[in-house]
Amino acid sequence: MILRTILSLLFLGVIVPLHAATKPNIIYILCDDLGYGDVKCLNPEGKIATPHADRLAKEGLIFTDAHTSSSVCTPTRYGLMTGRYNWRSKLQSGVLGGLSPRLIEADRLTVPALLKQHGYHTACVGKWHLGMDWAKREGREVSELTIEKPEQVSSVDYVQPIKNGPMSVGFDYYFGIAASLDMVPYVFIENDHVTAPPTGETSYPMTLGRDDGKATRKGPVAPGFSAIGVLPALTRKAVEHIEARAANARAGKPFFLYLPLASPHTPIAPSPEWQGKSGISPYADFVMQTDATLGAILEALEKHGLAQDTLVVFTSDNGCSPMANFPELAEKGHNPSAQFRGHKADIFEAGHRVPFIVRWPAKVKAGTTSDQTICLVDLMATCAEIVGAKVPDNAGEDSVSILPALAGQAGKPLREAVVHHSINGSFSIRQGNWKLELCSGSGGWSDPKPNTPAAKALPLVQLYDLAKDAGEKTNVQAEHPEVVARLTRLLEKYIADGRSTPGAPQQNAVPIEIWKDRVAGQPKRPKAAN
């Protein structure tokens, strides 16, 4: 009788099964340097208007405890695409440049490749920043794991096809820029070619209209390319892509659109119609324009009848950068980090705790909130569960499906723990309310900075109870040595096993002996294998 009732309710649509019969379209919007406190619905005391993000929250679900695996651009994107912690790659600190070679390993499964196997059309529109193999001029080189040197910007033949870019990791279509908008080259790329070869050189003010001597790196620029035009171009291309895929999507052929924006990262360059609109600062104007891009995406979905069966994610790659001019924002009562400590690059919360808002009308209850601890690496396992697939043992080693939380069915914690990484390679592990940081300072750009006298005078590790101390003001490592020991052992296990999820240990895991030799140093970190 009970089974018959459940089956009847399923048939009538009163109960929605965890695996939807129809695969949803998936749009993943990754902002660049958008702080947790920059979104009004997450920070009611914030002063920047974000009506479209607020609307998304009213129509969907807010995750209040969402994190990136890294506090900076490239490593976060690696984890998002692969479901694998960034420090397992060969990039151990810092970020790539616009001319850096491909970072994602040739045999590694990615989210778009997984979805493509299950009938999705896949596209990326936006900032890549995961390396691609440009054709180098004879006898010339570019740096592999760091931003290229000024003399290397002429090492590339920009007319030749690009190898091993987004198209090589599972995307059917790509349009965007190679890296951050303050990095060369200043060109648009479509699939495996620049849309127009560079014919000159330029740089842009870090903040539009301010002659403070701060400018982006000087390098090749294509005719007609401008920093101010990038966000409008990405928005237009994304909307056009939704329009182009709409008929197929309505016919049951879903699409995945990864939209990594280059804003509100420097150069802070709002379009004329947005300049001064916030009444706060150019950065606030740029945040509002970024929010408007989300609005354009939502409008396109509604126009083409796709809103109901499309999963939209709106998030950020790390915390807000100090280039946003924190003192100027503070004068107007705005804090991009909200109640959290630090900012971009740091191991502190505001370095990696990010906005994460989801809407999927067919599955997600409107106006809900989740305090589940999640990470951007969870995209792969989530997509796999959505399409009814199993992630192979040699892929997505750190990815956990958040589908139960989306469906309102998550009772216990989805994750055993989550690992964070700062710009200089410092580690943190979080389990429940406890957060252990294996460095004495910020591991990044805020005070106490790594290797400074202030940092060296502090204990080598930090432990915070985030339930009592969300601002990470009181280091309680001396009072709870058992917690420090337990979390250290768990992190060692994750490193030794080459994974943090159930499954067979990986053959290319970091040797635990290397980790133990380096655990108690400031910027020291294990040397990961590929």
Side-chain angles (χ1 to χ4, degrees):
M1 181 65 181
I2 295 175
L3 178 60
R4 185 180 303 169
T5 301
I6 291 174
L7 291 173
S8 298
L9 291 172
L10 281 169
F11 178 76
L12 293 172
V14 178
I15 297 177
V16 181
L18 195 59
H19 300 291
T22 302
K23 298 172 185 175
N25 308 304
I26 302 171
I27 299 180
Y28 201 101
I29 304 171
L30 184 71
C31 299
D32 198 357
D33 290 5
L34 182 72
Y36 185 96
D38 286 329
V39 180
K40 187 71 173 177
C41 61
L42 297 176
N43 180 22
E45 296 180 2
K47 305 303 180 184
I48 302 176
T50 54
H52 302 291
D54 297 349
R55 173 196 163 189
L56 194 73
K58 288 179 181 178
E59 297 175 354
L61 168 65
I62 296 174
F63 283 91
T64 59
D65 200 3
H67 299 263
T68 56
S69 64
S70 170
S71 297
V72 283
C73 301
T74 299
T76 285
R77 292 156 202 271
Y78 175 90
L80 191 157
M81 283 287 102
T82 65
R84 185 184 191 225
Y85 283 137
N86 55 276
W87 42 269
R88 299 194 195 278
S89 77
K90 59 186 175 183
L91 182 67
Q92 294 294 290
S93 62
V95 300
L96 300 183
L99 302 180
S100 299
R102 167 177 163 161
L103 177 64
I104 297 176
E105 301 83 7
D107 59 348
R108 180 146 293 277
L109 182 66
T110 64
V111 170
L114 171 73
L115 290 173
K116 196 170 178 179
Q117 292 172 3
H118 293 271
Y120 278 74
H121 182 277
T122 59
C124 173
V125 174
K127 164 185 165 177
W128 184 234
H129 212 177
L130 281 167
M132 54 184 72
D133 294 339
W134 296 87
K136 289 181 287 189
R137 298 185 185 278
E138 187 174 353
R140 305 294 295 272
E141 294 296 328
V142 293
S143 301
E144 181 183 7
L145 295 175
T146 187
I147 300 169
E148 55 279 334
K149 300 174 183 177
E151 63 270 20
Q152 293 178 333
V153 300
S154 59
S155 294
V156 166
D157 183 350
Y158 293 99
V159 177
Q160 298 301 315
I162 303 165
K163 298 179 180 179
N164 295 323
M167 305 287 286
S168 69
V169 298
F171 286 108
D172 294 308
Y173 175 77
Y174 173 68
F175 177 88
I177 56 176
S180 299
L181 192 48
D182 60 2
M183 299 177 181
V184 304
Y186 302 118
V187 297
F188 283 119
I189 301 164
E190 188 162 31
N191 294 331
D192 61 355
H193 280 81
V194 298
T195 59
T199 56
E201 281 195 334
T202 196
S203 64
Y204 302 102
M206 282 295 196
T207 302
L208 185 69
R210 297 197 172 169
D211 187 16
D212 56 7
K214 297 177 181 178
T216 67
R217 298 162 182 84
K218 188 175 183 180
V221 62
F225 186 95
S226 67
I228 205 170
V230 170
L231 182 54
L234 299 182
T235 305
R236 184 174 62 254
K237 280 287 185 179
V239 168
E240 289 174 354
H241 185 75
I242 293 170
E243 293 173 347
R245 301 305 308 173
N248 283 327
R250 289 193 298 268
K253 299 176 182 177
F255 65 84
F256 169 57
L257 173 59
Y258 171 48
L259 180 55
L261 303 176
S263 61
H265 190 290
T266 51
I268 297 168
S271 300
E273 64 269 29
W274 290 95
Q275 293 169 17
K277 196 150 190 177
S278 69
I280 299 173
S281 72
Y283 174 78
D285 297 340
F286 211 23
V287 170
M288 290 182 67
Q289 185 179 355
T290 302
D291 178 72
T293 290
L294 169 62
I297 299 301
L298 300 181
E299 182 181 354
L301 291 173
E302 290 162 4
K303 177 181 177 181
H304 297 284
L306 302 176
Q308 182 71 12
D309 293 314
T310 298
L311 167 61
V312 178
V313 177
F314 182 77
T315 186
S316 180
D317 65 344
N318 44 248
C320 183
S321 167
M323 290 302 296
N325 196 330
F326 292 161
E328 180 179 38
L329 293 169
E331 286 179 5
K332 298 295 179 67
H334 183 75
N335 182 0
S337 298
Q339 69 268 39
F340 303 111
R341 184 180 182 182
H343 48 64
K344 175 182 178 177
D346 294 346
I347 204 64
F348 299 138
E349 279 294 285
H352 49 77
R353 188 183 291 233
V354 292
F356 198 97
I357 307 172
V358 178
R359 189 188 76 175
W360 182 8
K363 180 72 65 174
V364 175
K365 184 178 179 181
T368 52
T369 300
S370 173
D371 61 0
Q372 285 277 352
T373 303
I374 65 170
C375 186
L376 267 59
V377 297
D378 294 337
L379 179 61
M380 176 171 283
T382 304
C383 288
E385 188 169 7
I386 285 173
V387 301
K390 181 182 181 299
V391 178
D393 283 343
N394 63 347
E397 295 94 334
D398 302 298
S399 189
V400 174
S401 175
I402 69 169
L403 187 58
L406 297 181
Q409 299 176 15
K412 62 181 181 179
L414 297 173
R415 291 185 141 271
E416 179 182 41
V418 63
V419 180
H420 309 299
H421 205 228
S422 75
I423 191 171
N424 82 332
S426 295
F427 278 82
S428 171
I429 183 168
R430 160 89 181 282
Q431 186 176 49
N433 295 326
W434 290 112
K435 182 182 179 188
L436 176 67
E437 298 167 358
L438 296 175
C439 58
S440 62
S442 69
W445 296 341
S446 72
D447 294 326
K449 296 178 182 176
N451 299 316
T452 60
K456 290 178 180 179
L458 296 171
L460 284 176
V461 300
Q462 303 171 70
L463 180 69
Y464 299 102
D465 181 351
L466 296 183
K468 300 177 181 178
D469 184 18
E472 298 171 284
K473 296 177 181 178
T474 305
N475 183 0
V476 295
Q477 57 87 26
E479 292 88 335
H480 297 280
E482 76 288 353
V483 177
V484 173
R486 173 169 57 80
L487 291 181
T488 301
R489 287 195 301 270
L490 183 59
L491 181 55
E492 288 176 344
K493 181 179 186 304
Y494 286 172
I495 293 170
D497 290 350
R499 66 183 314 125
S500 58
T501 57
Q506 299 299 292
Q507 297 300 313
N508 60 352
V510 181
I512 195 64
E513 292 77 15
I514 293 177
W515 166 251
K516 286 183 175 178
D517 288 344
R518 302 186 179 190
V519 67
Q522 294 294 343
K524 299 176 183 178
R525 56 268 182 191
K527 182 179 180 182
N530 287 337

